[in-house]
Structures are given as structure tokens and as C-alpha cells.
Amino acid sequence: MPIVAQTVLIRLATPATVFLAILLVRKMLKCMRTCSCCVETTKAELIVTSLVVLFFFYPKLLHTGLTMFACIPIDDAHLASDPYPQFASANASRGYFVWDVQQACWEGWHLSWVLGLGLPCMLCFCILVPVGMYFMLQRNRASPEGTPSDNYTCCLYHCFTPDRYYWEVVASAQTIVLVAVSTFSFSLGAFHAALLMLVCFACILAMQHIFQPYAFQEVQHMQLMSSTCLVLTATIGLSIFEVGGVAVPRGYTETVGVLGLLANLAFVCWCSWRTAKLGSGMLSDWVVSAWAWLSKKRRTTPPQRRCVRA
């Protein structure tokens, strides 16, 4: 098996390994609290753990699945500007695999892996995950509030308004588009990939401004400002590209670079300040609650129970 194929398998198996590790740690903690190792893993725990692992690894899984289809041209003897067309030996018609430039695309083991693993991954990550998430939210919306289904799916919609309960599905679709543009940037070229990324950022900013899906005003402001910074950074990056052989003045490049850096730095400082301001109030409330709980526990301390092992 090629080393690249082994790398793909390791990338795909990492979320499953983390999922099993989290379940194992949760079960060990339950055993320590209940003094019993006969603790069953509930359906809610499985679903919540799966959602958490998927949330963190979803972009990486998308990138791994899409990269199986990413090919880049190396030599092109048909270009009129090529001074030595007779030496263009790496001229496969469909390019070469981006993770292994010695393997021609859609030939040999690459064709087998794309059909056997790439297509199922794309079907699962790009279609089944968003559709399954939508039906889960739709089913939970129809159930009464406070039911078990509401307890383990609230992480998908609790930060959105009731009318925009489905926005996590929209966010997953946005993630798919951004990862796809980033993955196939080798084939598109730097300029066109940056231009397409700018269009995606602008569309995301417009959607956030029009629909305003977040239930918390501070989160809504942070999302709008983060999208604005992304649009500004992408625009600055495009403005310093050399188009048509026209060189960009060095003074202009340095000036817009410094302005973009200052804008992003101001955004980070603003987010840190707002987070610290909100977190200080929450921290003080938590300290007061914890102190009250400890004081009550000291007054009514139950007898200690020892674990008796057979």
C-alpha cells in the first residue's frame, strides 16, 4: 500500500480514535463516581460525543476526502512559451495527484482509491452529514422542549434564533465550499483561488447580515466583524497580485499590508476585550455559586462511602 494511501487512512481514522477515547474516559469517570464498572453508555452520550468530534474534525475530514480528487499539472509541452518542450516528460493529460506527484491522476492505485474511498467519503461528508443534521434538527423541533432528544441536540441550535434553528446546516455548507476552494487552489491558480475565496467570504458576510441567525447579539457582532476582516484581508491579497505583467509598487504593498495587519489586530483586541468583559461577570457568578455550594456541603456533610471490591 502506498505511503500516501496510509496517510489518508490515518487521517480518516483519527476522529474514530478520538471518539472511542472520549467514551472510554467518560466511562472511567463514571466508574470512579459510582464505584461500579457496570456502567452502560447511553444513546445520548453517543450522539453528543459524535457531534463534538464531528464539529472539530469536519473541516479536516472534508479536506482529506476532497484532496483525493485534487490533481495538478506539472509539465505542459503544448504551451507556446515553453522553451524546451522535448523535456516535458511529466505531461499526463489529467495531471498528477497533489499528495504524490509521481502518481498520474485517474490511473493505477489512484483510480481505485478515488472510486473505492473518495466517492463514499464525499457522499458521507458533503451530503449525508448536512442532510442528517437537518433531519435531526427538524425532528427535535417537533418534539416538546425538555425531552431527551432536546438535551443531546441542543448544541446544534442553542446559539441561534428559533427561526434560524437550521443555521448549523448552512454553516456546514459554507465549510464545504471554503474547504473545496482551498483544496483545489492548486488547479485554479493562486489568483483565481483568492478571487473565488473573496466571493465566498462576501457571500457569507451578506448572509450573516441579512438573516442575523445568532441569538446572542455579541456573537452576531463578532461573526460580522470576523467576516469583514476576512473580506478585507482577501481584498488586500488580491490587490498586490501582479496581473498582466504589471509590477505592483513596493510602497503600496507595504502600506496595504500594514493596514490589513492593523485591522486584524484591532479585531483580535476587540474580541479579547469583549470576551474578557463577558467572562468576568460569568466567572464572578460561578465563584459565588461554588462558594455557596461548598458552604452548604460543609454544614451537611454525608458519611463517606468506601468502594468495596469483590
Side-chain angles (χ1 to χ4, degrees):
M1 182 183 297
I3 297 179
V4 176
Q6 298 177 17
T7 305
V8 172
L9 290 178
I10 293 174
R11 287 171 175 261
L12 295 176
T14 301
T17 306
V18 175
F19 173 77
L20 295 176
I22 293 176
L23 289 181
L24 180 60
V25 172
R26 289 172 65 95
K27 188 171 184 179
M28 291 175 59
L29 294 175
K30 282 188 174 181
C31 291
M32 294 172 61
R33 289 198 301 264
T34 60
C35 300
S36 174
C37 293
C38 299
V39 180
E40 296 182 358
T41 302
T42 62
K43 178 183 177 181
E45 291 178 345
L46 291 175
I47 295 178
V48 171
T49 306
S50 302
L51 292 176
V52 171
V53 173
L54 182 63
F55 176 80
F56 284 101
F57 286 96
Y58 190 55
K60 197 63 172 180
L61 292 173
L62 283 174
H63 177 70
T64 303
L66 288 171
T67 306
M68 298 184 192
F69 299 88
C71 301
I72 55 174
I74 297 180
D75 291 335
D76 193 351
H78 302 288
L79 291 178
S81 59
D82 193 349
Y84 305 103
Q86 66 274 17
F87 298 112
S89 57
N91 53 4
S93 58
R94 298 177 178 175
Y96 292 84
F97 188 34
V98 69
W99 279 354
D100 185 6
V101 293
Q102 296 181 354
Q103 174 61 45
C105 282
W106 305 98
E107 297 179 8
W109 66 265
H110 181 260
L111 178 61
S112 302
W113 274 81
V114 167
L115 297 179
L117 189 61
L119 289 179
C121 286
M122 297 309 302
L123 177 65
C124 177
F125 301 144
C126 297
I127 299 178
L128 293 183
V129 170
V131 172
M133 194 181 302
Y134 175 78
F135 280 107
M136 183 183 296
L137 290 172
Q138 189 70 20
R139 179 183 178 184
N140 180 75
R141 188 189 185 195
S143 62
E145 187 176 359
T147 58
S149 62
D150 180 76
N151 292 332
Y152 58 70
T153 57
C154 64
C155 58
L156 295 176
Y157 65 86
H158 74 282
C159 61
F160 304 116
T161 59
D163 296 336
R164 304 288 183 260
Y165 69 95
Y166 56 84
W167 199 258
E168 191 65 36
V169 181
V170 179
S172 65
Q174 294 172 354
T175 304
I176 293 172
V177 174
L178 292 176
V179 173
V181 174
S182 175
T183 303
F184 295 107
S185 60
F186 296 98
S187 303
L188 297 173
F191 178 79
H192 292 90
L195 182 61
L196 189 56
M197 191 71 74
L198 174 60
V199 173
C200 294
F201 289 151
C203 292
I204 293 174
L205 176 61
M207 293 175 65
Q208 291 176 352
H209 181 72
I210 293 172
F211 295 100
Q212 297 186 359
Y214 295 95
F216 306 100
Q217 198 68 17
E218 292 294 337
V219 177
Q220 180 69 32
H221 290 164
M222 287 184 181
Q223 289 291 333
L224 288 174
M225 291 191 66
S226 65
S227 298
T228 304
C229 284
L230 289 174
V231 171
L232 177 62
T233 304
T235 305
I236 291 175
L238 279 174
S239 66
I240 61 177
F241 265 100
E242 295 184 5
V243 181
V246 179
V248 181
R250 181 177 179 181
Y252 171 80
T253 303
E254 295 178 351
T255 302
V256 297
V258 171
L259 292 177
L261 180 62
L262 291 177
N264 284 271
L265 183 61
F267 168 70
V268 172
C269 294
W270 181 82
C271 287
S272 302
W273 174 68
R274 295 302 301 172
T275 304
K277 185 177 180 180
L278 294 174
S280 60
M282 297 175 61
L283 181 61
S284 61
D285 295 340
W286 181 82
V287 171
V288 172
S289 301
W291 180 258
W293 179 79
L294 289 174
S295 301
K296 183 178 179 181
K297 188 175 182 180
R298 288 178 182 176
R299 291 193 299 266
T300 59
T301 303
Q304 297 182 356
R305 181 181 61 178
R306 295 184 179 181
C307 297
V308 180
R309 299 185 179 274

